[in-house]
Amino acid sequence: TAWAIAVYVVLAAGLMVWSWRRFRRRAQLKIRMAQEANERKQREELDQMKFRFFTNISHEFRTPLTLILTPLGALIHDTGEPELKKKLEPIYNNARRLLNLVNQLLDFRKLEMKGERLRLKMNDMVSFLEEAVRQFTELAASREIELSFEPKVERLFMNYDSDKMYKMLNNLLSNAMKFTPEGGLITVQAGWQEIFPGGEGPNGIHITVSDTGIGIPAEDLKNIFVRFYQSEGTQSHPVNTGSGIGLHLVKGYMDLHKGEITVESTPGKGTRFTLLLPAQ
């Protein structure tokens, strides 16, 4: 009948329109996905170009800084004039800080390129931590900050990469020093801990670095290990604002050790970082 033919024509036309629209949507989706993939690739290539540039610049900075520090350190050591020594020490400390930043950038580049490897060796973690903390004693005293090391045991023998552990401790203690006011307290603790439940006794260690500094806002805690991220809470301390690389390096080195790092913080009261390191 004419009515049946009309219905069939309408249904056929509707099916054709629906099919065309679906095909068009899928084509547009493919084009959009291709554009996004291309943009991602371009961003990655741009990031790699930036990293290569900064790496090359860092290498160029490293040599003259070393050549500055070596004679400057000898001059400070040999001089018998207290006033001159007092003037030279801040220059030396700032040059050392700049060299540390350059080295940190090179470490970051190596970590991003998956070029870092663990060099495990059996050592006593307690004596290692004690020495790492001792290097901050003078800085803490100059800022009237109480710095203490409180091991829960006398010895902690285990396999670990001492170079990467030192860099992790150095970053955490440097951050604590930056954001802890005069008269504050920084505490480093270490002890055995059962990391994997169900084992026979402790199968790892915990290391905590606590301070009574400005703290980190709750909304920033989930992002502090992201590279180049800087907490809004540090903007009130612009002199102490870092590069956003240090904690990213710490997280990367802990991942290499198959460990875990956690953070707890209360704004205005302080921050505590906990490293859980499995015994290897």
Side-chain angles (χ1 to χ4, degrees):
T1 64
W3 282 107
I5 293 172
V7 170
Y8 296 152
V9 169
V10 169
L11 288 175
L15 180 61
M16 290 175 64
V17 171
W18 176 80
S19 300
W20 178 77
R21 287 183 175 178
R22 185 181 180 191
F23 172 79
R24 187 181 177 186
R25 280 198 301 269
R26 292 181 67 180
Q28 289 175 339
L29 180 61
K30 286 182 179 179
I31 293 172
R32 190 162 58 248
M33 290 176 65
Q35 288 175 339
E36 290 175 354
N38 188 46
E39 288 174 1
R40 271 198 308 272
K41 185 179 179 181
Q42 288 180 347
R43 282 197 302 268
E44 289 173 1
E45 289 176 353
L46 183 60
D47 285 344
Q48 292 303 320
M49 288 176 62
K50 290 178 181 178
F51 290 152
R52 283 195 295 271
F53 171 75
F54 284 122
T55 303
N56 293 336
I57 291 294
S58 299
H59 276 294
E60 294 298 321
F61 282 156
R62 207 159 139 182
T63 301
L65 280 171
T66 304
L67 295 176
I68 291 170
L69 281 166
T70 303
L72 186 57
L75 185 59
I76 292 172
H77 181 268
D78 295 340
T79 184
E81 300 179 28
E83 285 299 319
L84 179 60
K85 190 173 184 178
K86 188 176 180 180
K87 292 177 181 178
L88 291 176
E89 282 179 343
I91 300 173
Y92 181 82
N93 291 335
N94 281 299
R96 278 290 301 272
R97 183 170 181 268
L98 186 56
L99 182 60
N100 287 336
L101 289 173
V102 168
N103 289 333
Q104 195 174 76
L105 186 57
L106 293 173
D107 291 336
F108 166 74
R109 170 66 174 166
K110 191 182 293 185
L111 188 65
E112 289 293 298
M113 296 301 294
K114 312 296 182 186
E116 288 282 22
R117 296 288 184 272
L118 286 181
R119 293 173 174 82
L120 300 176
K121 188 176 180 180
M122 179 67 72
N123 281 307
D124 177 20
M125 182 66 79
V126 170
S127 61
F128 170 81
L129 293 173
E130 187 175 15
E131 179 61 28
V133 172
R134 187 182 297 121
Q135 295 190 24
F136 285 84
T137 302
E138 290 186 13
L139 178 60
S142 68
R143 297 193 53 201
E144 298 182 5
I145 295 174
E146 183 182 345
L147 175 63
S148 65
F149 175 52
E150 301 173 0
K152 302 298 182 182
V153 292
E154 292 185 4
R155 295 287 181 267
L156 277 170
F157 282 99
M158 63 177 293
N159 285 309
Y160 61 92
D161 187 319
S162 57
D163 177 62
K164 293 175 179 56
M165 284 300 303
Y166 173 77
K167 289 173 181 175
M168 284 191 277
L169 263 295
N170 187 65
N171 269 301
L172 293 176
L173 286 171
S174 294
N175 278 350
M177 287 288 176
K178 284 180 188 177
F179 302 112
T180 300
E182 291 185 2
L185 172 66
I186 298 175
T187 305
V188 178
Q189 296 179 324
W192 288 110
Q193 181 159 333
E194 183 180 0
I195 296 177
F196 306 109
E200 296 181 2
N203 43 36
I205 68 166
H206 75 268
I207 302 168
T208 61
V209 179
S210 309
D211 64 62
T212 57
I214 63 173
I216 304 169
E219 61 272 17
D220 291 331
L221 288 177
K222 64 181 181 296
N223 295 317
I224 61 171
F225 298 115
V226 177
R227 65 183 183 186
F228 306 132
Y229 183 81
Q230 294 177 339
S231 170
E232 291 295 328
T234 64
Q235 301 307 311
S236 58
H237 295 70
V239 175
N240 292 336
T241 301
S243 60
I245 292 177
L247 290 178
H248 177 72
L249 280 175
V250 174
K251 178 69 168 61
Y253 288 155
M254 283 302 294
D255 289 343
L256 283 176
H257 279 89
K258 295 182 173 57
E260 180 183 352
I261 179 170
T262 59
V263 57
E264 303 168 69
S265 187
T266 303
K269 292 187 177 181
T271 303
R272 179 172 65 187
F273 287 92
T274 302
L275 306 178
L276 296 176
L277 200 64
Q280 301 189 50

